[in-house]
Amino acid sequence: MDRDKIAALINAREKAYKTISTKSFDTIATHGIYDLHEAMLNQGSIIEPVYMTTAQAFSSADELQKALAYEIPSWAYSRIHNPSVYYLESTLALLESYQTSQEASCCVMSSGMAAITAVADALLANAKNANFVACSQVYGGTFQQFSVRQLEKGREVRWLAASSALDIWQAEIDEQTRFIYIEIPSNPGLTICDIKSLANLAQSHDIPLIVDATLATPALLRPLQYGADIVIHSLSKIMSASGMVIGGAVISRASMRGAYLLDEMKKDFASYLKLLPNRDNGACLSAMSAFLTLSELRTLRMRVDQLSQTALTVANFLNDHKMVEKVIYPGLKDHPQHDLARSYFTLVDADKGVNRYGHLLSFLVKGDLEKTKSVLSRLQMIFRATDLGRIKSVATIPAISTHQQQGESGRDIADIPVNLIRLSVGGEHPQDIIDDLAQALS
């Protein structure tokens, strides 16, 4: 590829970014940066092609050398990069930075846990006695990654509850603290951390704030807007509601915090992950998974809107049921953090600041574990599975599934009792979901 062609390609893609970034959320989700110019590069296809190939051929040895040195806009090898992956990463970065005045970049990976591990390992690398502060209400795999895997590497996690006062968070940070990590809303406890306050705290210590916003998606919450440095998503969840994809994403803002980090890491952390550690770690996302996720992103806002409304209807039903001890859903006014949730969770591009609170809720059955297992076992339409974010409703008991391995003491820290059922509300009619729950609880 000669210099003129390289310059033309770079200019065309920069123009595509600028043009699409001025559009609405749904338009960005529908088109991404795949414009007419990109279509002409792909034989006129109006849908992003799936590049199911391991490697790219080059016209000369010089072009090969420059591509592998990341000097020209190319992809070379699918473990490192791939055009299908490029279209997805660009779209996710645009959606996550929508209306935030922040520039962002994205690196997609083979799973949400791969994304979490890659971020933690990169930020904790080459640091003796390093520690990090994290909210204890997180997904079970995250809890294990921090409490077991990072501990094995000599790194300490300092757990705090989402409801902890800011001065308690402050007290846990010292010169060896490398980042703050939160999940909002948390799985399965639906707790809310105050992103703005923690971002200010991170700023005062010049360390990154990392937010797992899987359950919210950028349709409801874009943490970069409130001062976060890095956003993590499991693409396996509601972004790919059909349930055909396992994937993860790291979105970072430009010029992020981290006095201890290399300049290239602070300037563009997601690209650093992509082109350096992840190149060798091999946690790449397949082209087909990228294509399937990209296809589902087109309806993200509409899907989140509908599922959130259904979830609130179901939560209100459960809240009045005699066999339910407690319902945990941020959209309920009696949720202890309802006001905080209302300040953060707004349906993007909706008129007059419409609040939506997501598709996930939890409820406590009156009784012990055996009673709770009996209720779960009687479900007839709702699937029993360790999954969420599906277009089909799914339920599980976290204490015996997603959070089983962290043990009783770990579940106590995360406030996950044995009689808690996590319900991922799907696209079925609300009354059909309610009817199934009613017969199971009867």
Side-chain angles (χ1 to χ4, degrees), residues 13 34 38-45 47-56 75 77-78 81-87 285-291:
R13 288 184 169 172
Y34 193 80
E38 288 289 329
M40 291 301 100
L41 296 177
N42 290 285
Q43 301 189 59
S45 172
I47 300 296
E48 298 87 339
V50 188
Y51 281 78
M52 295 288 286
T53 178
T54 56
Q56 174 188 6
W75 59 277
Y77 193 63
S78 281
H81 198 31
N82 178 286
S84 303
V85 168
Y86 165 70
Y87 297 134
L285 187 71
S286 74
M288 180 58 75
S289 292
F291 171 77

PDB file of all heavy atoms in Angstrom, residues 13 34 38-45 47-56 75 77-78 81-87 285-291:
ATOM      1  N   ARG A  13     -11.311   7.429   7.284  1.00  0.00           N
ATOM      2  CA  ARG A  13     -11.789   6.894   8.563  1.00  0.00           C
ATOM      3  C   ARG A  13     -11.917   7.980   9.622  1.00  0.00           C
ATOM      4  O   ARG A  13     -12.837   7.937  10.441  1.00  0.00           O
ATOM      5  CB  ARG A  13     -10.863   5.763   9.022  1.00  0.00           C
ATOM      6  CG  ARG A  13     -11.048   4.513   8.160  1.00  0.00           C
ATOM      7  CD  ARG A  13     -10.239   3.332   8.607  1.00  0.00           C
ATOM      8  NE  ARG A  13     -10.669   2.130   7.893  1.00  0.00           N
ATOM      9  CZ  ARG A  13     -10.057   0.961   7.953  1.00  0.00           C
ATOM     10  NH1 ARG A  13      -8.971   0.824   8.712  1.00  0.00           N
ATOM     11  NH2 ARG A  13     -10.520  -0.079   7.283  1.00  0.00           N
ATOM     12  N   TYR A  34     -19.027   2.262   9.761  1.00  0.00           N
ATOM     13  CA  TYR A  34     -19.124   1.581   8.462  1.00  0.00           C
ATOM     14  C   TYR A  34     -19.975   2.426   7.516  1.00  0.00           C
ATOM     15  O   TYR A  34     -21.182   2.264   7.413  1.00  0.00           O
ATOM     16  CB  TYR A  34     -19.722   0.190   8.638  1.00  0.00           C
ATOM     17  CG  TYR A  34     -19.585  -0.695   7.417  1.00  0.00           C
ATOM     18  CD1 TYR A  34     -18.396  -1.354   7.151  1.00  0.00           C
ATOM     19  CD2 TYR A  34     -20.641  -0.853   6.530  1.00  0.00           C
ATOM     20  CE1 TYR A  34     -18.260  -2.156   6.029  1.00  0.00           C
ATOM     21  CE2 TYR A  34     -20.517  -1.656   5.392  1.00  0.00           C
ATOM     22  CZ  TYR A  34     -19.321  -2.312   5.149  1.00  0.00           C
ATOM     23  OH  TYR A  34     -19.189  -3.097   4.032  1.00  0.00           O
ATOM     24  N   GLU A  38     -16.301   2.648   3.488  1.00  0.00           N
ATOM     25  CA  GLU A  38     -15.972   1.298   3.962  1.00  0.00           C
ATOM     26  C   GLU A  38     -16.696   0.248   3.137  1.00  0.00           C
ATOM     27  O   GLU A  38     -16.152  -0.823   2.834  1.00  0.00           O
ATOM     28  CB  GLU A  38     -16.332   1.145   5.439  1.00  0.00           C
ATOM     29  CG  GLU A  38     -15.424   1.891   6.392  1.00  0.00           C
ATOM     30  CD  GLU A  38     -14.039   1.290   6.503  1.00  0.00           C
ATOM     31  OE1 GLU A  38     -13.899   0.057   6.353  1.00  0.00           O
ATOM     32  OE2 GLU A  38     -13.085   2.057   6.748  1.00  0.00           O
ATOM     33  N   ALA A  39     -17.926   0.541   2.776  1.00  0.00           N
ATOM     34  CA  ALA A  39     -18.701  -0.415   1.974  1.00  0.00           C
ATOM     35  C   ALA A  39     -18.022  -0.664   0.623  1.00  0.00           C
ATOM     36  O   ALA A  39     -17.957  -1.801   0.147  1.00  0.00           O
ATOM     37  CB  ALA A  39     -20.117   0.096   1.765  1.00  0.00           C
ATOM     38  N   MET A  40     -17.508   0.404   0.029  1.00  0.00           N
ATOM     39  CA  MET A  40     -16.840   0.248  -1.264  1.00  0.00           C
ATOM     40  C   MET A  40     -15.548  -0.569  -1.129  1.00  0.00           C
ATOM     41  O   MET A  40     -15.120  -1.230  -2.083  1.00  0.00           O
ATOM     42  CB  MET A  40     -16.526   1.623  -1.863  1.00  0.00           C
ATOM     43  CG  MET A  40     -17.762   2.393  -2.307  1.00  0.00           C
ATOM     44  SD  MET A  40     -18.765   1.515  -3.556  1.00  0.00           S
ATOM     45  CE  MET A  40     -20.080   0.838  -2.544  1.00  0.00           C
ATOM     46  N   LEU A  41     -14.934  -0.534   0.037  1.00  0.00           N
ATOM     47  CA  LEU A  41     -13.757  -1.370   0.277  1.00  0.00           C
ATOM     48  C   LEU A  41     -14.133  -2.834   0.434  1.00  0.00           C
ATOM     49  O   LEU A  41     -13.265  -3.712   0.383  1.00  0.00           O
ATOM     50  CB  LEU A  41     -13.012  -0.903   1.540  1.00  0.00           C
ATOM     51  CG  LEU A  41     -12.397   0.494   1.514  1.00  0.00           C
ATOM     52  CD1 LEU A  41     -11.779   0.825   2.862  1.00  0.00           C
ATOM     53  CD2 LEU A  41     -11.348   0.601   0.405  1.00  0.00           C
ATOM     54  N   ASN A  42     -15.435  -3.076   0.639  1.00  0.00           N
ATOM     55  CA  ASN A  42     -15.932  -4.442   0.851  1.00  0.00           C
ATOM     56  C   ASN A  42     -16.958  -4.820  -0.214  1.00  0.00           C
ATOM     57  O   ASN A  42     -18.014  -5.365   0.085  1.00  0.00           O
ATOM     58  CB  ASN A  42     -16.540  -4.563   2.256  1.00  0.00           C
ATOM     59  CG  ASN A  42     -15.496  -4.509   3.340  1.00  0.00           C
ATOM     60  OD1 ASN A  42     -14.768  -5.470   3.570  1.00  0.00           O
ATOM     61  ND2 ASN A  42     -15.400  -3.368   4.021  1.00  0.00           N
ATOM     62  N   GLN A  43     -16.624  -4.496  -1.462  1.00  0.00           N
ATOM     63  CA  GLN A  43     -17.441  -4.860  -2.617  1.00  0.00           C
ATOM     64  C   GLN A  43     -18.879  -4.355  -2.529  1.00  0.00           C
ATOM     65  O   GLN A  43     -19.813  -4.969  -3.061  1.00  0.00           O
ATOM     66  CB  GLN A  43     -17.426  -6.382  -2.838  1.00  0.00           C
ATOM     67  CG  GLN A  43     -16.024  -6.940  -3.056  1.00  0.00           C
ATOM     68  CD  GLN A  43     -16.032  -8.382  -3.495  1.00  0.00           C
ATOM     69  OE1 GLN A  43     -16.619  -8.707  -4.526  1.00  0.00           O
ATOM     70  NE2 GLN A  43     -15.379  -9.241  -2.729  1.00  0.00           N
ATOM     71  N   GLY A  44     -19.052  -3.238  -1.818  1.00  0.00           N
ATOM     72  CA  GLY A  44     -20.360  -2.599  -1.770  1.00  0.00           C
ATOM     73  C   GLY A  44     -21.318  -3.152  -0.729  1.00  0.00           C
ATOM     74  O   GLY A  44     -22.463  -2.701  -0.644  1.00  0.00           O
ATOM     75  N   SER A  45     -20.877  -4.099   0.091  1.00  0.00           N
ATOM     76  CA  SER A  45     -21.764  -4.689   1.095  1.00  0.00           C
ATOM     77  C   SER A  45     -22.252  -3.622   2.074  1.00  0.00           C
ATOM     78  O   SER A  45     -21.453  -2.893   2.658  1.00  0.00           O
ATOM     79  CB  SER A  45     -21.025  -5.785   1.864  1.00  0.00           C
ATOM     80  OG  SER A  45     -21.804  -6.244   2.943  1.00  0.00           O
ATOM     81  N   ILE A  47     -23.784  -4.272   4.873  1.00  0.00           N
ATOM     82  CA  ILE A  47     -23.588  -4.818   6.210  1.00  0.00           C
ATOM     83  C   ILE A  47     -22.124  -5.197   6.375  1.00  0.00           C
ATOM     84  O   ILE A  47     -21.501  -5.738   5.461  1.00  0.00           O
ATOM     85  CB  ILE A  47     -24.483  -6.057   6.445  1.00  0.00           C
ATOM     86  CG1 ILE A  47     -25.957  -5.692   6.292  1.00  0.00           C
ATOM     87  CG2 ILE A  47     -24.215  -6.672   7.819  1.00  0.00           C
ATOM     88  CD1 ILE A  47     -26.457  -4.695   7.321  1.00  0.00           C
ATOM     89  N   GLU A  48     -21.579  -4.927   7.555  1.00  0.00           N
ATOM     90  CA  GLU A  48     -20.181  -5.243   7.811  1.00  0.00           C
ATOM     91  C   GLU A  48     -19.902  -6.731   7.554  1.00  0.00           C
ATOM     92  O   GLU A  48     -20.574  -7.593   8.112  1.00  0.00           O
ATOM     93  CB  GLU A  48     -19.810  -4.917   9.267  1.00  0.00           C
ATOM     94  CG  GLU A  48     -19.939  -3.459   9.634  1.00  0.00           C
ATOM     95  CD  GLU A  48     -21.323  -3.049  10.096  1.00  0.00           C
ATOM     96  OE1 GLU A  48     -22.304  -3.767   9.778  1.00  0.00           O
ATOM     97  OE2 GLU A  48     -21.442  -2.024  10.778  1.00  0.00           O
ATOM     98  N   PRO A  49     -18.914  -7.045   6.733  1.00  0.00           N
ATOM     99  CA  PRO A  49     -18.614  -8.452   6.439  1.00  0.00           C
ATOM    100  C   PRO A  49     -17.957  -9.147   7.631  1.00  0.00           C
ATOM    101  O   PRO A  49     -17.406  -8.511   8.527  1.00  0.00           O
ATOM    102  CB  PRO A  49     -17.621  -8.374   5.270  1.00  0.00           C
ATOM    103  CG  PRO A  49     -17.722  -6.972   4.755  1.00  0.00           C
ATOM    104  CD  PRO A  49     -18.116  -6.136   5.922  1.00  0.00           C
ATOM    105  N   VAL A  50     -18.034 -10.466   7.617  1.00  0.00           N
ATOM    106  CA  VAL A  50     -17.344 -11.283   8.608  1.00  0.00           C
ATOM    107  C   VAL A  50     -16.037 -11.762   7.984  1.00  0.00           C
ATOM    108  O   VAL A  50     -16.055 -12.545   7.024  1.00  0.00           O
ATOM    109  CB  VAL A  50     -18.191 -12.496   9.032  1.00  0.00           C
ATOM    110  CG1 VAL A  50     -17.520 -13.213  10.198  1.00  0.00           C
ATOM    111  CG2 VAL A  50     -19.596 -12.087   9.401  1.00  0.00           C
ATOM    112  N   TYR A  51     -14.933 -11.303   8.530  1.00  0.00           N
ATOM    113  CA  TYR A  51     -13.634 -11.703   8.006  1.00  0.00           C
ATOM    114  C   TYR A  51     -13.170 -12.979   8.715  1.00  0.00           C
ATOM    115  O   TYR A  51     -12.386 -12.946   9.650  1.00  0.00           O
ATOM    116  CB  TYR A  51     -12.621 -10.573   8.196  1.00  0.00           C
ATOM    117  CG  TYR A  51     -12.730  -9.476   7.166  1.00  0.00           C
ATOM    118  CD1 TYR A  51     -13.734  -8.516   7.245  1.00  0.00           C
ATOM    119  CD2 TYR A  51     -11.841  -9.415   6.102  1.00  0.00           C
ATOM    120  CE1 TYR A  51     -13.840  -7.514   6.300  1.00  0.00           C
ATOM    121  CE2 TYR A  51     -11.938  -8.404   5.143  1.00  0.00           C
ATOM    122  CZ  TYR A  51     -12.938  -7.466   5.253  1.00  0.00           C
ATOM    123  OH  TYR A  51     -13.050  -6.464   4.308  1.00  0.00           O
ATOM    124  N   MET A  52     -13.675 -14.110   8.227  1.00  0.00           N
ATOM    125  CA  MET A  52     -13.349 -15.404   8.816  1.00  0.00           C
ATOM    126  C   MET A  52     -12.044 -15.935   8.222  1.00  0.00           C
ATOM    127  O   MET A  52     -12.006 -16.928   7.499  1.00  0.00           O
ATOM    128  CB  MET A  52     -14.493 -16.382   8.572  1.00  0.00           C
ATOM    129  CG  MET A  52     -15.779 -16.010   9.273  1.00  0.00           C
ATOM    130  SD  MET A  52     -15.700 -16.261  11.054  1.00  0.00           S
ATOM    131  CE  MET A  52     -15.794 -18.041  11.134  1.00  0.00           C
ATOM    132  N   THR A  53     -10.978 -15.236   8.529  1.00  0.00           N
ATOM    133  CA  THR A  53      -9.662 -15.620   8.036  1.00  0.00           C
ATOM    134  C   THR A  53      -8.633 -15.290   9.097  1.00  0.00           C
ATOM    135  O   THR A  53      -8.807 -14.337   9.864  1.00  0.00           O
ATOM    136  CB  THR A  53      -9.325 -14.885   6.731  1.00  0.00           C
ATOM    137  OG1 THR A  53      -8.012 -15.240   6.296  1.00  0.00           O
ATOM    138  CG2 THR A  53      -9.399 -13.372   6.914  1.00  0.00           C
ATOM    139  N   THR A  54      -7.592 -16.077   9.159  1.00  0.00           N
ATOM    140  CA  THR A  54      -6.590 -15.875  10.206  1.00  0.00           C
ATOM    141  C   THR A  54      -5.672 -14.707   9.922  1.00  0.00           C
ATOM    142  O   THR A  54      -5.230 -14.030  10.853  1.00  0.00           O
ATOM    143  CB  THR A  54      -5.728 -17.143  10.367  1.00  0.00           C
ATOM    144  OG1 THR A  54      -5.152 -17.462   9.080  1.00  0.00           O
ATOM    145  CG2 THR A  54      -6.557 -18.302  10.875  1.00  0.00           C
ATOM    146  N   ALA A  55      -5.368 -14.473   8.645  1.00  0.00           N
ATOM    147  CA  ALA A  55      -4.322 -13.502   8.347  1.00  0.00           C
ATOM    148  C   ALA A  55      -4.611 -12.720   7.077  1.00  0.00           C
ATOM    149  O   ALA A  55      -5.432 -13.107   6.246  1.00  0.00           O
ATOM    150  CB  ALA A  55      -2.976 -14.218   8.217  1.00  0.00           C
ATOM    151  N   GLN A  56      -3.884 -11.615   6.937  1.00  0.00           N
ATOM    152  CA  GLN A  56      -3.981 -10.734   5.779  1.00  0.00           C
ATOM    153  C   GLN A  56      -2.729 -10.882   4.925  1.00  0.00           C
ATOM    154  O   GLN A  56      -1.614 -10.922   5.456  1.00  0.00           O
ATOM    155  CB  GLN A  56      -4.113  -9.280   6.247  1.00  0.00           C
ATOM    156  CG  GLN A  56      -4.072  -8.257   5.125  1.00  0.00           C
ATOM    157  CD  GLN A  56      -4.018  -6.828   5.637  1.00  0.00           C
ATOM    158  OE1 GLN A  56      -3.897  -6.597   6.836  1.00  0.00           O
ATOM    159  NE2 GLN A  56      -4.111  -5.859   4.738  1.00  0.00           N
ATOM    160  N   TRP A  75      -4.230  -4.892   9.598  1.00  0.00           N
ATOM    161  CA  TRP A  75      -4.577  -5.804  10.692  1.00  0.00           C
ATOM    162  C   TRP A  75      -3.684  -7.025  10.774  1.00  0.00           C
ATOM    163  O   TRP A  75      -3.495  -7.585  11.839  1.00  0.00           O
ATOM    164  CB  TRP A  75      -6.046  -6.213  10.607  1.00  0.00           C
ATOM    165  CG  TRP A  75      -6.481  -6.908   9.348  1.00  0.00           C
ATOM    166  CD1 TRP A  75      -6.838  -6.307   8.185  1.00  0.00           C
ATOM    167  CD2 TRP A  75      -6.622  -8.309   9.136  1.00  0.00           C
ATOM    168  NE1 TRP A  75      -7.196  -7.248   7.236  1.00  0.00           N
ATOM    169  CE2 TRP A  75      -7.078  -8.496   7.804  1.00  0.00           C
ATOM    170  CE3 TRP A  75      -6.434  -9.436   9.934  1.00  0.00           C
ATOM    171  CZ2 TRP A  75      -7.331  -9.746   7.265  1.00  0.00           C
ATOM    172  CZ3 TRP A  75      -6.694 -10.688   9.394  1.00  0.00           C
ATOM    173  CH2 TRP A  75      -7.143 -10.831   8.074  1.00  0.00           C
ATOM    174  N   TYR A  77      -2.983 -10.072  11.427  1.00  0.00           N
ATOM    175  CA  TYR A  77      -3.256 -11.399  11.981  1.00  0.00           C
ATOM    176  C   TYR A  77      -4.419 -11.302  12.967  1.00  0.00           C
ATOM    177  O   TYR A  77      -4.450 -10.400  13.799  1.00  0.00           O
ATOM    178  CB  TYR A  77      -2.001 -11.931  12.685  1.00  0.00           C
ATOM    179  CG  TYR A  77      -2.044 -13.401  13.021  1.00  0.00           C
ATOM    180  CD1 TYR A  77      -2.123 -14.368  12.030  1.00  0.00           C
ATOM    181  CD2 TYR A  77      -1.997 -13.822  14.349  1.00  0.00           C
ATOM    182  CE1 TYR A  77      -2.163 -15.722  12.345  1.00  0.00           C
ATOM    183  CE2 TYR A  77      -2.027 -15.169  14.674  1.00  0.00           C
ATOM    184  CZ  TYR A  77      -2.105 -16.118  13.666  1.00  0.00           C
ATOM    185  OH  TYR A  77      -2.146 -17.447  13.976  1.00  0.00           O
ATOM    186  N   SER A  78      -5.362 -12.221  12.893  1.00  0.00           N
ATOM    187  CA  SER A  78      -6.622 -12.074  13.638  1.00  0.00           C
ATOM    188  C   SER A  78      -6.475 -12.193  15.146  1.00  0.00           C
ATOM    189  O   SER A  78      -7.365 -11.777  15.889  1.00  0.00           O
ATOM    190  CB  SER A  78      -7.654 -13.089  13.139  1.00  0.00           C
ATOM    191  OG  SER A  78      -8.236 -12.632  11.928  1.00  0.00           O
ATOM    192  N   HIS A  81      -5.656  -8.353  15.507  1.00  0.00           N
ATOM    193  CA  HIS A  81      -6.714  -7.461  15.026  1.00  0.00           C
ATOM    194  C   HIS A  81      -7.412  -8.120  13.842  1.00  0.00           C
ATOM    195  O   HIS A  81      -6.917  -9.095  13.284  1.00  0.00           O
ATOM    196  CB  HIS A  81      -6.112  -6.113  14.628  1.00  0.00           C
ATOM    197  CG  HIS A  81      -7.112  -5.005  14.527  1.00  0.00           C
ATOM    198  ND1 HIS A  81      -8.255  -4.958  15.312  1.00  0.00           N
ATOM    199  CD2 HIS A  81      -7.146  -3.891  13.741  1.00  0.00           C
ATOM    200  CE1 HIS A  81      -8.932  -3.869  15.018  1.00  0.00           C
ATOM    201  NE2 HIS A  81      -8.289  -3.203  14.065  1.00  0.00           N
ATOM    202  N   ASN A  82      -8.562  -7.572  13.475  1.00  0.00           N
ATOM    203  CA  ASN A  82      -9.370  -8.130  12.405  1.00  0.00           C
ATOM    204  C   ASN A  82     -10.377  -7.056  11.997  1.00  0.00           C
ATOM    205  O   ASN A  82     -10.885  -6.325  12.863  1.00  0.00           O
ATOM    206  CB  ASN A  82     -10.081  -9.395  12.919  1.00  0.00           C
ATOM    207  CG  ASN A  82     -10.990 -10.033  11.908  1.00  0.00           C
ATOM    208  OD1 ASN A  82     -12.068  -9.513  11.624  1.00  0.00           O
ATOM    209  ND2 ASN A  82     -10.587 -11.168  11.365  1.00  0.00           N
ATOM    210  N   PRO A  83     -10.689  -6.905  10.722  1.00  0.00           N
ATOM    211  CA  PRO A  83     -11.634  -5.856  10.301  1.00  0.00           C
ATOM    212  C   PRO A  83     -12.997  -5.950  10.979  1.00  0.00           C
ATOM    213  O   PRO A  83     -13.591  -4.921  11.346  1.00  0.00           O
ATOM    214  CB  PRO A  83     -11.738  -6.078   8.787  1.00  0.00           C
ATOM    215  CG  PRO A  83     -10.454  -6.701   8.408  1.00  0.00           C
ATOM    216  CD  PRO A  83     -10.088  -7.590   9.553  1.00  0.00           C
ATOM    217  N   SER A  84     -13.527  -7.159  11.157  1.00  0.00           N
ATOM    218  CA  SER A  84     -14.827  -7.311  11.820  1.00  0.00           C
ATOM    219  C   SER A  84     -14.754  -6.806  13.259  1.00  0.00           C
ATOM    220  O   SER A  84     -15.673  -6.158  13.766  1.00  0.00           O
ATOM    221  CB  SER A  84     -15.265  -8.780  11.794  1.00  0.00           C
ATOM    222  OG  SER A  84     -15.316  -9.274  10.481  1.00  0.00           O
ATOM    223  N   VAL A  85     -13.633  -7.112  13.910  1.00  0.00           N
ATOM    224  CA  VAL A  85     -13.404  -6.651  15.278  1.00  0.00           C
ATOM    225  C   VAL A  85     -13.268  -5.128  15.308  1.00  0.00           C
ATOM    226  O   VAL A  85     -13.773  -4.458  16.218  1.00  0.00           O
ATOM    227  CB  VAL A  85     -12.138  -7.327  15.861  1.00  0.00           C
ATOM    228  CG1 VAL A  85     -11.699  -6.654  17.155  1.00  0.00           C
ATOM    229  CG2 VAL A  85     -12.394  -8.812  16.097  1.00  0.00           C
ATOM    230  N   TYR A  86     -12.610  -4.578  14.310  1.00  0.00           N
ATOM    231  CA  TYR A  86     -12.427  -3.124  14.216  1.00  0.00           C
ATOM    232  C   TYR A  86     -13.766  -2.395  14.170  1.00  0.00           C
ATOM    233  O   TYR A  86     -13.960  -1.385  14.857  1.00  0.00           O
ATOM    234  CB  TYR A  86     -11.597  -2.797  12.976  1.00  0.00           C
ATOM    235  CG  TYR A  86     -11.626  -1.357  12.549  1.00  0.00           C
ATOM    236  CD1 TYR A  86     -11.002  -0.367  13.307  1.00  0.00           C
ATOM    237  CD2 TYR A  86     -12.277  -0.975  11.372  1.00  0.00           C
ATOM    238  CE1 TYR A  86     -11.023   0.954  12.911  1.00  0.00           C
ATOM    239  CE2 TYR A  86     -12.295   0.344  10.966  1.00  0.00           C
ATOM    240  CZ  TYR A  86     -11.671   1.316  11.731  1.00  0.00           C
ATOM    241  OH  TYR A  86     -11.698   2.626  11.344  1.00  0.00           O
ATOM    242  N   TYR A  87     -14.701  -2.893  13.384  1.00  0.00           N
ATOM    243  CA  TYR A  87     -16.008  -2.247  13.289  1.00  0.00           C
ATOM    244  C   TYR A  87     -16.738  -2.284  14.635  1.00  0.00           C
ATOM    245  O   TYR A  87     -17.398  -1.306  15.020  1.00  0.00           O
ATOM    246  CB  TYR A  87     -16.852  -2.915  12.206  1.00  0.00           C
ATOM    247  CG  TYR A  87     -16.276  -2.789  10.815  1.00  0.00           C
ATOM    248  CD1 TYR A  87     -16.214  -3.883   9.959  1.00  0.00           C
ATOM    249  CD2 TYR A  87     -15.779  -1.570  10.349  1.00  0.00           C
ATOM    250  CE1 TYR A  87     -15.679  -3.769   8.678  1.00  0.00           C
ATOM    251  CE2 TYR A  87     -15.236  -1.446   9.078  1.00  0.00           C
ATOM    252  CZ  TYR A  87     -15.190  -2.550   8.246  1.00  0.00           C
ATOM    253  OH  TYR A  87     -14.656  -2.430   6.987  1.00  0.00           O
ATOM    254  N   LEU A 285     -11.165 -11.830  20.337  1.00  0.00           N
ATOM    255  CA  LEU A 285     -12.557 -12.136  20.019  1.00  0.00           C
ATOM    256  C   LEU A 285     -12.631 -12.610  18.577  1.00  0.00           C
ATOM    257  O   LEU A 285     -11.976 -12.053  17.692  1.00  0.00           O
ATOM    258  CB  LEU A 285     -13.426 -10.893  20.211  1.00  0.00           C
ATOM    259  CG  LEU A 285     -14.941 -11.093  20.067  1.00  0.00           C
ATOM    260  CD1 LEU A 285     -15.483 -11.879  21.242  1.00  0.00           C
ATOM    261  CD2 LEU A 285     -15.660  -9.749  19.959  1.00  0.00           C
ATOM    262  N   SER A 286     -13.425 -13.633  18.318  1.00  0.00           N
ATOM    263  CA  SER A 286     -13.546 -14.143  16.953  1.00  0.00           C
ATOM    264  C   SER A 286     -14.309 -13.163  16.081  1.00  0.00           C
ATOM    265  O   SER A 286     -15.122 -12.365  16.555  1.00  0.00           O
ATOM    266  CB  SER A 286     -14.257 -15.495  16.944  1.00  0.00           C
ATOM    267  OG  SER A 286     -15.645 -15.326  17.173  1.00  0.00           O
ATOM    268  N   ALA A 287     -14.047 -13.236  14.787  1.00  0.00           N
ATOM    269  CA  ALA A 287     -14.730 -12.359  13.830  1.00  0.00           C
ATOM    270  C   ALA A 287     -16.235 -12.585  13.844  1.00  0.00           C
ATOM    271  O   ALA A 287     -17.021 -11.630  13.763  1.00  0.00           O
ATOM    272  CB  ALA A 287     -14.171 -12.588  12.425  1.00  0.00           C
ATOM    273  N   MET A 288     -16.659 -13.841  13.958  1.00  0.00           N
ATOM    274  CA  MET A 288     -18.087 -14.128  13.975  1.00  0.00           C
ATOM    275  C   MET A 288     -18.751 -13.554  15.225  1.00  0.00           C
ATOM    276  O   MET A 288     -19.856 -12.990  15.155  1.00  0.00           O
ATOM    277  CB  MET A 288     -18.326 -15.634  13.897  1.00  0.00           C
ATOM    278  CG  MET A 288     -19.810 -16.031  13.915  1.00  0.00           C
ATOM    279  SD  MET A 288     -20.770 -15.279  12.571  1.00  0.00           S
ATOM    280  CE  MET A 288     -20.222 -16.264  11.177  1.00  0.00           C
ATOM    281  N   SER A 289     -18.089 -13.667  16.375  1.00  0.00           N
ATOM    282  CA  SER A 289     -18.644 -13.097  17.606  1.00  0.00           C
ATOM    283  C   SER A 289     -18.739 -11.581  17.508  1.00  0.00           C
ATOM    284  O   SER A 289     -19.705 -10.975  17.975  1.00  0.00           O
ATOM    285  CB  SER A 289     -17.782 -13.494  18.807  1.00  0.00           C
ATOM    286  OG  SER A 289     -17.875 -14.876  19.065  1.00  0.00           O
ATOM    287  N   ALA A 290     -17.736 -10.962  16.886  1.00  0.00           N
ATOM    288  CA  ALA A 290     -17.770  -9.513  16.684  1.00  0.00           C
ATOM    289  C   ALA A 290     -18.948  -9.122  15.791  1.00  0.00           C
ATOM    290  O   ALA A 290     -19.676  -8.165  16.077  1.00  0.00           O
ATOM    291  CB  ALA A 290     -16.458  -9.038  16.068  1.00  0.00           C
ATOM    292  N   PHE A 291     -19.145  -9.859  14.730  1.00  0.00           N
ATOM    293  CA  PHE A 291     -20.241  -9.587  13.801  1.00  0.00           C
ATOM    294  C   PHE A 291     -21.600  -9.751  14.482  1.00  0.00           C
ATOM    295  O   PHE A 291     -22.494  -8.910  14.339  1.00  0.00           O
ATOM    296  CB  PHE A 291     -20.140 -10.524  12.597  1.00  0.00           C
ATOM    297  CG  PHE A 291     -21.334 -10.477  11.685  1.00  0.00           C
ATOM    298  CD1 PHE A 291     -21.507  -9.423  10.804  1.00  0.00           C
ATOM    299  CD2 PHE A 291     -22.296 -11.473  11.721  1.00  0.00           C
ATOM    300  CE1 PHE A 291     -22.619  -9.380   9.962  1.00  0.00           C
ATOM    301  CE2 PHE A 291     -23.406 -11.432  10.890  1.00  0.00           C
ATOM    302  CZ  PHE A 291     -23.564 -10.377  10.010  1.00  0.00           C
TER     303      PHE A 291
END
